[in-house]
Amino acid sequence: MPDIRNIVILTGAGISAESGIDTFRGGGGLWEQHRVEDVATPEAFERDPNLVLRFYDMRRAAIQEKLPNPAHDALARLDRAWNGDLLIVTQNVDDLHERAGASRVLHMHGEHLNAWCTYCDERSRWTGPLADRPPCPRCGARALRPDVVWFGEMPYRMEEIYAAMRTAHLFVSIGTSGAVYPAAGFVRDARSLGAQTLELNLERSQGSSWFDETRLGSASEVVPAWVEEVLAG
Ligand code: NAD
């Protein structure tokens, strides 16, 4: 791999699948028995806040029982060892990259383990339920919602992501279907900015033809193999 110093890695639900966390589009288009539109949009929250809060309470409790898999471990190893710039941009709202030991992680779709007060705008670490409407630790308002980006909302920290893409020599996409924008468009942006592009996925994503190279397989196998290759130079 010639002249690779700066790397941007995009991860999606597929990297956490082998940890036992459902992807979005598995299971016949249902996400844990719910249609995505019923639980992951601002309209859904307005229509039935109890359903949405209970759904996220369930997910928040579930992810705390899960463990990082060898793919998270391998990226954490790369993060620790890599001297160039590296940014793991994750669409995932679980904390498995961090629990594996990675630190250069950016959650563009928010985090399950954060609550956001829509009254005072404070974000707090949150591991318990929200459906019982606990008060915001800062202002006391009972206006907490999951700090996750729903469909129709703006992803977080896009300037930082594009700044990293502008200097990246390699863009790697892992376990994402290429269906959710703007993340699905990163490969085209990376290419036009001059980076090499690599896809690691169980099956080809919708934007697969945009990648210079695609390696198919489960994340727990293809990601550690790729990391060993990169670290071996
Ligand atoms: P997606 O469900 O649309 O696609 C999952 C992708 O992972 C598919 O391309 C599939 O082929 C691949 N995959 C499945 N099992 C795999 C494995 N073992 N190894 C490698 N790849 C595997 O997910 P997405 O593209 O991330 O986009 C959907 C949205 O879902 C994101 O916005 C994300 O916020 C949200 N989401 C997050 C989590 C999480 O935090 N773990 C879980 C579900 C959904």
Side-chain angles (χ1 to χ4, degrees):
M1 239 174 268
D3 299 331
I4 300 295
R5 206 178 142 64
N6 302 335
I7 305 177
V8 172
I9 300 169
L10 172 70
T11 66
I15 198 170
S16 295
E18 288 162 274
S19 295
I21 302 178
D22 272 5
T23 62
F24 240 159
R25 285 170 185 78
L30 292 178
W31 194 27
E32 292 190 350
Q33 279 65 60
H34 292 280
R35 289 188 320 141
V36 166
E37 310 81 65
D38 291 340
V39 287
T41 63
E43 294 77 18
F45 188 53
E46 234 168 75
R47 193 168 54 236
D48 193 346
N50 288 328
L51 171 76
V52 172
L53 291 174
R54 280 200 310 274
F55 173 79
Y56 280 92
D57 284 355
M58 193 175 76
R59 298 275 303 175
R60 193 177 310 106
I63 62 153
Q64 294 176 71
E65 311 271 301
K66 310 297 184 193
L67 294 172
N69 68 51
H72 299 102
D73 293 339
L75 291 190
R77 207 156 50 241
L78 180 64
D79 181 24
R80 280 192 297 270
W82 193 252
N83 289 325
D85 288 348
L86 179 137
L87 183 63
I88 300 170
V89 177
T90 188
Q91 298 168 87
N92 293 346
V93 290
D94 66 51
D95 63 340
L96 296 183
H97 285 305
E98 288 89 343
R99 275 200 272 146
S103 56
R104 291 182 271 183
V105 181
L106 184 160
H107 284 269
M108 65 178 293
H109 290 165
E111 298 178 58
H112 262 326
L113 297 181
N114 274 354
W116 171 28
C117 177
T118 55
Y119 189 74
C120 75
D121 205 29
E122 180 78 352
R123 281 159 167 99
S124 319
R125 178 91 181 154
W126 206 270
T127 54
L130 289 172
D132 54 354
R133 311 299 166 97
C136 166
R138 182 179 180 224
C139 75
R142 293 184 186 275
L144 295 175
R145 60 162 267 188
D147 187 19
V148 299
V149 175
W150 286 326
F151 286 95
E153 295 183 326
M154 190 63 89
Y156 296 158
R157 299 168 65 184
M158 292 301 291
E159 300 81 10
E160 280 171 70
I161 296 172
Y162 281 109
M165 298 251 277
R166 275 195 289 278
T167 59
H169 304 114
L170 176 64
F171 171 80
V172 186
S173 169
I174 303 174
T176 173
S177 61
V180 178
Y181 280 83
F186 287 170
V187 58
R188 266 170 281 178
D189 300 328
R191 270 180 86 106
S192 65
L193 290 164
Q196 290 182 42
T197 54
L198 169 66
E199 171 177 43
L200 307 176
N201 207 355
L202 197 57
E203 52 196 29
R204 286 183 178 278
S205 62
Q206 290 182 23
S208 194
S209 59
W210 290 99
F211 289 89
D212 296 318
E213 186 187 349
T214 295
R215 298 185 190 177
L216 299 181
S218 66
S220 67
E221 287 171 9
V222 291
V223 177
W226 170 71
V227 166
E228 290 317 310
E229 205 178 293
V230 173
L231 290 178

